[in-house]
């Protein structure tokens, strides 16, 4: 959903109107809060039949009211596309209005060969059958923005109050994201016990990495971030470091966005929070398991550095990546960011990391 934010920007510029987004999952609306390219967001429950979902009627009204405007379908998973097509059919959407990311029907997974952000741009440059392409010329590539996320003033105020309570004001913040969707799921213990999570990096390596970063930045606060389900894992890493400058925090995604806004750098496994950090221009190191970085590497709207470590074809498991490789990658982005200054709109304080 973070990488897709480039598409609403393109469509807003091309058609002159902000977009309405229909997605899945409770996290979808939060991704677009404050986004000037998005006018409204609806989100279906992942496992509930859409006709029984309370958002079905508002979605149907919006799809009908927007006619004959274009409908761009970003879904690429072959198992989800039939549901998307049923939603459009039951809403009475003219098929000529629709442009699908996947141009032909498939019955199985298709190997990724192109970065998703680039695929979003290609999708937005296509035109549905019921519209004349010459009436809506595409914007110049240099005018496109994103992927980008936005932080609200109320979220900044909440963040600043937390930093004040913790005594972190005026100190460099380095974010550490060791978890992924498996470490926060109901089967997180089983994934770890069986060692079947290719994105898992052992606790002792995280601890060693944090000790090395602390030696390089002794005045910085190293913030281990995750969901509330991941707090025991985060505290395990914190205990293993035996450092007072390491903190743990469970945040929502919106709270994470606000924290990224004032962070000096971040080390993350291949995860959504890593994409969020890049979209908020945080210098970033991404530790990969089996996924290829050339397809899934986060993108920054400002050109802030994003450095991959591991991943296919070099390696298929994160636990084959040594601490030296991750630390050296972090040093390369930390040294490039000589100063990060963020004005705190919730008060008069200014946090500067050098």
């Amino acid at each position: 959903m973070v990488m897709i934010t480039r598409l609403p920007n393109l469509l807003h510029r091309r058609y002159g109107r902000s977009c309405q987004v229909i997605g899945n999952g409770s996290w979808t609306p939060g991704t677009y809060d404050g986004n000037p390219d998005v006018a409204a967001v609806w989100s279906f429950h992942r496992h509930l039949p859409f006709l029984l979902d309370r958002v079905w009627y508002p979605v149907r009204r919006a799809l009908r009211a927007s006619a004959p405007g274009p409908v761009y379908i970003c879904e690429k998973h072959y198992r989800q596309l039939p549901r998307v097509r049923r939603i459009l059919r039951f809403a009475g959407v003219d098929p000529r209005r629709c442009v699908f990311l996947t141009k032909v029907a498939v019955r199985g997974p298709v190997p990724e060969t192109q970065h998703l952000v680039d695929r979003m741009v290609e999708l937005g440059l296509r035109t549905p059958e019921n519209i004349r392409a010459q009436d809506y010329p595409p914007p110049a590539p240099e005018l496109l923005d994103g992927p980008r996320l936005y932080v609200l003033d109320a979220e900044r105020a909440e963040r600043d109050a937390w930093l004040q309570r913790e005594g972190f004001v005026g100190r460099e913040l380095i974010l550490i994201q060791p978890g992924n969707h498996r470490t926060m799921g109901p089967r997180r213990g089983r994934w770890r016990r069986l060692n079947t999570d290719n994105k898992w990096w052992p606790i002792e390596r995280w601890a060693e990495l944090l000790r090395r970063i602390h030696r390089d930045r002794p005045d910085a606060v190293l913030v281990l971030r995750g969901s509330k389900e991941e707090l025991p894992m985060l505290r395990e890493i914190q205990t293993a470091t035996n450092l007072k400058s390491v903190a743990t925090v469970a945040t929502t995604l919106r709270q994470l966005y606000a924290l990224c806004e004032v962070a000096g750098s971040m080390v993350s496994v291949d995860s959504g929070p890593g994409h969020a950090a890049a979209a908020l221009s945080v210098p970033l190191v991404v530790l990969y398991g089996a996924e290829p970085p050339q397809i899934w590497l986060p993108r920054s709207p400002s050109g802030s550095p994003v450095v991959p470590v591991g991943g296919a074809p070099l390696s298929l498991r994160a636990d084959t990546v040594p601490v030296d490789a991750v630390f050296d990658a972090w040093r390369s982005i930390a040294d490039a960011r000589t100063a990060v200054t963020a004005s705190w709109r919730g008060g008069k304080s200014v946090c500067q990391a050098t």
Side-chain angles (χ1 to χ4, degrees):
M1 296 305 293
V2 174
M3 289 192 283
I4 286 173
T5 59
R6 189 171 176 91
L7 177 62
N9 180 260
L10 188 161
L11 297 178
H12 190 184
R13 291 179 181 276
R14 182 179 181 187
Y15 292 103
R17 298 184 64 179
S18 52
C19 301
Q20 301 180 82
V21 175
I22 303 168
N24 276 322
S26 59
W27 38 262
T28 301
T31 304
Y32 297 97
D33 280 353
N35 192 320
D37 300 315
V38 176
V41 182
W42 293 275
S43 184
F44 285 102
H45 192 282
R46 286 183 173 275
H47 306 295
L48 186 69
F50 70 86
L51 290 174
L52 301 180
D53 200 314
R54 60 190 179 92
V55 305
W56 162 240
Y57 290 105
V59 165
R60 186 178 66 173
R61 286 195 299 269
L63 285 170
R64 292 180 175 181
S66 65
V71 180
Y72 285 82
I73 296 90
C74 306
E75 181 59 64
K76 60 186 179 65
H77 199 284
Y78 71 101
R79 290 179 178 172
Q80 299 298 328
L81 279 169
R83 187 189 194 208
V84 172
R85 293 182 186 276
R86 286 194 298 271
I87 290 173
L88 295 172
R89 186 171 67 253
F90 274 73
V93 175
D94 183 349
R96 296 177 304 163
R97 298 173 57 193
C98 301
V99 182
F100 284 81
L101 177 64
T102 302
K103 298 180 183 179
V104 295
V106 294
R107 295 188 177 182
V110 177
E112 302 284 354
T113 59
Q114 186 182 20
H115 198 285
L116 185 58
V117 172
D118 298 328
R119 293 184 69 187
M120 289 297 106
V121 172
E122 288 188 0
L123 174 65
L125 295 179
R126 292 161 55 194
T127 309
E129 294 179 14
N130 71 325
I131 292 177
R132 295 197 313 166
Q134 56 267 37
D135 292 341
Y136 298 96
E142 62 271 15
L143 296 179
L144 297 182
D145 186 40
R148 186 186 293 276
L149 297 173
Y150 296 83
V151 179
L152 306 179
D153 287 342
E155 295 163 345
R156 293 188 178 100
E158 179 187 9
R159 173 203 65 205
D160 296 346
W162 178 79
L163 292 172
Q164 186 73 42
R165 288 195 304 270
E166 297 296 324
F168 296 159
V169 174
R171 299 177 65 181
E172 178 183 11
L173 299 181
I174 300 174
L175 301 183
I176 308 295
Q177 173 70 36
N180 61 78
H181 69 280
R182 296 187 183 106
T183 56
M184 63 182 291
R187 295 189 295 174
R188 54 189 178 275
R190 186 172 183 271
W191 284 108
R192 183 172 174 183
R193 184 176 66 256
L194 298 179
N195 195 27
T196 51
D197 181 1
N198 67 76
K199 297 182 181 183
W200 173 258
W201 211 43
I203 295 291
E204 60 272 16
R205 294 194 199 175
W206 283 114
E208 176 59 24
L209 175 67
L210 267 63
R211 285 193 290 265
R212 292 194 188 187
I213 293 176
H214 173 70
R215 288 195 292 270
D216 192 84
R217 295 283 202 278
D219 296 326
V221 179
L222 312 183
V223 181
L224 284 160
R225 180 272 162 197
S227 66
K228 62 180 181 179
E229 294 85 0
E230 293 171 318
L231 270 177
M233 177 191 69
L234 301 181
R235 288 168 180 158
E236 190 176 352
I237 298 172
Q238 181 186 34
T239 300
T241 67
N242 196 28
L243 294 173
K244 294 182 179 180
S245 60
V246 175
T248 61
V249 60
T251 70
T252 64
L253 283 180
R254 295 299 308 181
Q255 290 169 335
L256 169 65
Y257 299 167
L259 203 55
C260 285
E261 196 178 48
V262 294
S265 59
M266 182 177 190
V267 179
S268 173
V269 296
D270 175 25
S271 67
H275 285 276
L280 287 155
S281 298
V282 180
L284 175 68
V285 172
V286 186
L287 176 61
Y288 281 88
E291 297 293 344
Q294 64 268 26
I295 302 298
W296 296 107
L297 189 68
R299 295 276 182 92
S300 165
S302 65
S304 59
V306 180
V307 179
V309 184
L314 298 176
S315 63
L316 298 179
R317 291 184 59 90
D319 58 14
T320 64
V321 178
V323 176
D324 286 344
V326 181
F327 177 71
D328 290 345
W330 174 79
R331 279 295 307 272
S332 72
I333 66 165
D335 291 344
R337 180 120 169 189
T338 56
V340 178
T341 304
S343 297
W344 293 2
R345 301 185 184 182
K348 297 182 180 180
S349 301
V350 174
C351 173
Q352 179 171 335
T354 56

